[in-house]
Amino acid sequence: MTQTTEAPAQTGGADQSGADRHRGPDQRVESWLAEFGGALAAGDAERAAGMFEDEGCWRDFVSFTWNLRTLEGRGEIRDMLDAQLAAVAPSGWALDEPATEADGVTEAWIVFETAAGRGWGHLRLRDGRAWTLLTTMQELKGHEEKKGRDRDKGVEHVIRRGRRTWLEQKHDRQETLGYTEQPYAVIIGGGQGGIGLAARLKRLGVPTIVIEKNERAGDSWRKRYKSLHLHDPVWYDHLPYIPFPDDWPVFPAKDKVGDWLEHYTAIMDLDYWSGTQCLGAEFDEAAGTWRVRVDRRGEEVELRPTQLIFALGVSGYPNIPHFEGAEDFAGEQWHSSEFTGEGDVEGKRAIVIGSNNSAHDICAALWDHGADVTMIQRSSTHISRSESLMSLALGPLYSEEALEAGVTTEKADMLFASWPYRLLPDAQIPVYEQMAEQDATFYEELRGVGFDLDFGEDGSGLFLKYLRRGSGYYIDVGASQLLIDREVALERGQVTRILPEGVEIDGERVLPADLIVYATGYGSMNQWLVDLVSQEVADRVGKVWGYGSDTTRDPGPWEGELRNMWKPTNVEQLWIHGGNLHQSRHYSKYLALQLKARMEGVPTPVYRVQESHHPS
């Protein structure tokens, strides 16, 4: 989604000394790192925490906390260091490349080491103190990926009888893994998230099987409505290790993405069980492993992985509200997940219930095929024009211009993550204020046809809505103009009944309909846990997604990180992975390192597993 590198307005900070004022950016960062590293080496958590602003934030991915956590303010930073310093043993703090300075903020890429691994980070200083610090583990010492100079030869240049070719070894593995040999990890869900994580684990030497109910990798894209394209630009959506070719369209079509996922699965040599349905899972306390029952093309198999990862997307099952009378509707009804755009709809009266991404796309697809389309908007929606989103929000990080400026995908992901969620709204609001001004005519025309617009409850726009609730927005790729031009009709209100001949709105007016599409989103990810494991396990995990902003669909308490994503949950050896293509790519690195460390017996003292809130 969206992010900006622009800094929010400055607040707080210590007075800058005259000597510090005359130092260059590199000197300021190197001086801070030397003092910070010295405080950590001395075990002085109080002194290290005092090097942050009063409300400074430290966001850590795995390197210090073996978790994904944000420490807000000196007290939380001190408490984390008191708990973790002895085991982490950080050292080697250094500037990775020349620092920069703008508007009183010094920014720097930094490197460091811990007892377990090597890290990379990003630092912002104001007036000599840390405003934000991001630290991430990048590799485990002694368990590095075999790449570059360390890659395998692939063949022994010794002639001896009984040599097995690569293909023969692959067939041997496919015949034994999951049967006579058990994987260390099983990933339930073979979409983009499961595939990317499996590639990370493959590179780390973690035996992994991916379970996917569809017949082919990429089918979760192929089976959607035929007009679907990526709404985010291609630079934002690379998979780990293999970027999309540089001649790919900015917004690839769904079938192109599906084919890429299928080929990627083969190229990365993943153990991918397509046509396989998970029937259920339970933890075997005595063995310390999971018992995962699957139906593999008619054969029931029991897998015994140590770690179980659910990678079934951001959402749960399709959410189809129960409306009185729906069973008596005389026409056709689909959820958006079932809508393919196939079939004869010309001249039919189509009702699309919903006003977010899928609703707009489906309205456009139905209109394109000659249907008489009406969108029912039940609540306000944020809309960003795709061109504006790219130029104002994504462009500084994910674009050809960003690449030419030296912002690689890896750097962009880190910059994306360098803003703690507490500070993120203030970084985003100016972007959407500029968007509202730039596209004022567009928004005025939408309001003119009765569309209920918002920019988020605090004006922070699309990406915060995505993080908080995973819904409530549309990236306009053309459908908004159909509303403005009244080619697609708009009705606002609540559906109160479905009648045999149409849809009743607000108990007072009826829209005639021959077909209804429910673009009403999806339920909670917890429902997967309820159905495949148990209600008790789902409740122990608690709510998935959102970070406790206390906004619509994201109730408090404040967490500061997405709940239960890519990190330890309150159920040992159970993990949740997913998100959009960007998140799946970036955060799969940290989840893979956590799993690899556990497989190798590396101590992983987790700092503060989040509490379980809002059980399903």
Side-chain angles (χ1 to χ4, degrees):
M1 295 300 162
T2 59
Q3 183 87 2
T4 175
T5 56
E6 181 180 349
Q10 296 184 29
T11 57
D15 292 334
Q16 188 176 16
S17 68
D20 191 57
R21 204 174 293 121
H22 290 92
R23 292 174 175 173
D26 285 5
Q27 291 175 304
R28 276 195 286 277
V29 173
E30 288 169 342
S31 175
W32 190 92
L33 291 174
E35 186 177 347
F36 185 62
L40 297 180
D44 192 339
E46 187 73 40
R47 179 157 64 100
M51 297 184 65
F52 287 76
E53 294 181 0
D54 289 344
E55 297 181 359
C57 293
W58 181 348
R59 195 176 193 193
D60 180 69
F61 294 167
V62 181
S63 60
F64 273 69
T65 60
W66 288 103
N67 201 344
L68 274 64
R69 288 215 65 97
T70 297
L71 298 318
E72 300 178 359
R74 292 175 180 171
E76 289 191 10
I77 292 168
R78 182 193 62 242
D79 291 346
M80 184 275 286
L81 291 174
D82 279 337
Q84 300 294 103
L85 255 185
V88 173
S91 64
W93 297 88
L95 189 62
D96 194 35
E97 58 183 75
T100 61
E101 186 174 22
D103 300 322
V105 179
T106 302
E107 295 194 43
W109 295 102
I110 62 173
V111 292
F112 61 96
E113 294 189 12
T114 68
R118 298 177 184 87
W120 188 30
H122 183 271
L123 172 68
R124 290 186 181 90
L125 297 177
R126 294 193 305 195
D127 297 334
R129 299 193 189 278
W131 178 27
T132 68
L133 174 64
L134 170 68
T135 50
T136 71
M137 181 177 286
Q138 293 292 305
E139 61 181 4
L140 288 164
K141 292 178 179 177
H143 305 290
E144 297 84 357
E145 293 182 0
K146 293 183 178 180
K147 60 183 181 180
R149 293 181 180 274
D150 297 324
R151 72 180 77 200
D152 287 331
K153 276 189 174 182
V155 65
E156 292 183 42
H157 291 159
V158 176
I159 307 302
R160 56 182 175 81
R161 290 190 176 92
R163 289 187 299 169
R164 305 285 285 170
T165 66
W166 172 84
L167 185 58
E168 288 170 332
Q169 292 177 55
K170 178 180 179 178
H171 288 163
D172 291 344
R173 187 183 76 237
Q174 291 174 336
E175 289 177 1
T176 59
L177 189 62
Y179 294 95
T180 59
E181 296 178 14
Q182 289 300 317
Y184 181 75
V186 163
I187 301 172
I188 300 177
Q192 62 206 35
I195 288 170
L197 177 59
R200 299 270 193 200
L201 293 171
K202 181 79 174 185
R203 292 267 290 239
L204 287 169
V206 178
T208 303
I209 290 176
V210 181
I211 302 301
E212 170 57 39
K213 68 179 180 180
N214 285 310
E215 287 301 309
R216 297 165 58 196
D219 273 354
S220 55
W221 282 88
R222 293 188 191 94
K223 292 182 177 181
R224 299 299 302 280
Y225 46 94
K226 65 182 183 180
S227 62
L228 177 64
H229 285 65
L230 287 179
H231 283 199
D232 297 315
V234 68
W235 304 280
Y236 184 79
D237 291 330
H238 296 305
L239 269 66
Y241 309 118
I242 306 178
F244 295 118
D246 60 9
D247 67 340
W248 266 43
V250 174
F251 303 103
K254 70 177 182 71
D255 295 287
K256 196 174 183 71
V257 174
D259 287 350
W260 180 262
L261 291 171
E262 186 171 30
H263 291 306
Y264 182 93
T265 300
I267 291 167
M268 300 306 290
D269 193 21
L270 306 183
D271 293 297
Y272 190 92
W273 287 14
S274 60
T276 303
Q277 179 98 23
C278 179
L279 303 175
E282 61 181 348
F283 192 71
D284 185 334
E285 296 285 353
T289 60
W290 287 91
R291 301 165 62 111
V292 183
R293 292 178 296 106
V294 303
D295 180 337
R296 190 183 190 193
R297 303 186 185 278
E299 176 192 11
E300 188 163 328
V301 181
E302 183 177 273
L303 300 170
R304 303 298 299 266
T306 301
Q307 308 287 347
L308 181 61
I309 304 101
F310 284 84
L312 293 166
V314 171
S315 306
Y317 296 110
N319 176 39
I320 305 177
H322 180 264
F323 295 119
E324 179 187 347
E327 62 277 6
D328 297 323
F329 180 64
E332 298 177 273
Q333 301 179 76
W334 305 298
H335 185 265
S336 59
S337 61
E338 304 167 305
F339 178 78
T340 63
E342 305 292 340
D344 181 15
V345 299
E346 187 171 0
K348 291 187 176 180
R349 298 164 299 181
I351 301 292
V352 178
I353 301 174
S355 56
N356 296 335
N357 267 335
S358 293
H360 280 81
D361 282 353
I362 290 168
C363 283
L366 289 166
W367 175 87
D368 188 39
H369 286 78
D372 178 9
V373 188
T374 300
M375 174 189 288
I376 297 179
Q377 184 182 29
R378 300 183 299 164
S379 59
S380 67
T381 308
H382 170 69
I383 295 183
S384 291
R385 294 180 63 246
S386 177
E387 293 82 358
S388 300
L389 198 62
M390 289 179 62
S391 64
L392 298 176
L394 288 174
L397 298 182
Y398 300 97
S399 65
E400 289 300 320
E401 292 75 18
L403 289 170
E404 290 165 3
V407 182
T408 63
T409 300
E410 292 74 23
K411 280 188 173 181
D413 290 347
M414 290 282 284
L415 287 168
F416 222 111
S418 69
W419 290 111
Y421 291 157
R422 182 73 75 180
L423 302 179
L424 191 54
D426 285 342
Q428 294 283 280
I429 288 169
V431 173
Y432 291 93
E433 289 176 339
Q434 187 177 355
M435 188 180 294
E437 181 178 351
Q438 176 177 292
D439 296 330
T441 300
F442 168 75
Y443 291 121
E444 182 180 347
E445 290 175 337
L446 270 174
R447 291 189 177 98
V449 296
F451 197 88
D452 188 6
L453 286 164
D454 71 57
F455 279 80
E457 293 179 31
D458 53 4
S460 59
L462 191 151
F463 186 61
L464 269 298
K465 265 201 161 187
Y466 172 69
L467 291 172
R468 291 165 174 171
R469 54 186 281 189
S471 65
Y473 52 84
Y474 168 54
I475 300 174
D476 178 39
V477 292
S480 290
Q481 195 63 43
L482 294 177
L483 290 167
I484 291 169
D485 294 340
R486 301 180 190 272
E487 295 289 334
V488 170
L490 176 70
E491 291 281 344
R492 281 172 51 186
Q494 300 303 314
V495 175
T496 46
R497 278 193 303 168
I498 305 294
L499 304 173
E501 70 281 2
V503 178
E504 182 184 84
I505 306 294
D506 294 335
E508 57 188 28
R509 60 192 189 279
V510 176
L511 306 178
D514 302 306
L515 64 91
I516 301 171
V517 181
Y518 298 92
T520 47
Y522 297 82
S524 166
M525 281 186 275
N526 295 70
Q527 193 61 45
W528 296 115
L529 301 179
V530 172
D531 290 352
L532 295 178
V533 189
S534 70
Q535 181 72 58
E536 187 268 336
V537 163
D539 288 345
R540 281 170 56 197
V541 170
K543 184 174 174 60
V544 179
W545 206 258
Y547 58 87
S549 63
D550 205 22
T551 58
T552 302
R553 300 186 189 174
D554 183 27
W558 178 261
E559 296 287 351
E561 292 289 344
L562 288 182
R563 298 182 186 94
N564 289 306
M565 295 298 298
W566 315 295
K567 59 185 178 181
T569 69
N570 278 291
V571 177
E572 284 286 332
Q573 298 166 231
L574 185 149
W575 310 76
I576 299 171
H577 174 63
N580 59 28
L581 280 158
H582 150 75
Q583 291 171 307
S584 293
R585 175 188 63 244
H586 187 205
Y587 290 96
S588 61
K589 172 187 280 288
Y590 310 114
L591 178 48
L593 288 169
Q594 292 173 83
L595 295 170
K596 174 66 172 178
R598 284 162 173 78
M599 187 183 87
E600 299 295 348
V602 176
T604 57
V606 177
Y607 182 69
R608 287 187 59 198
V609 175
Q610 68 179 50
E611 297 179 20
S612 294
H613 295 294
H614 314 294
S616 56

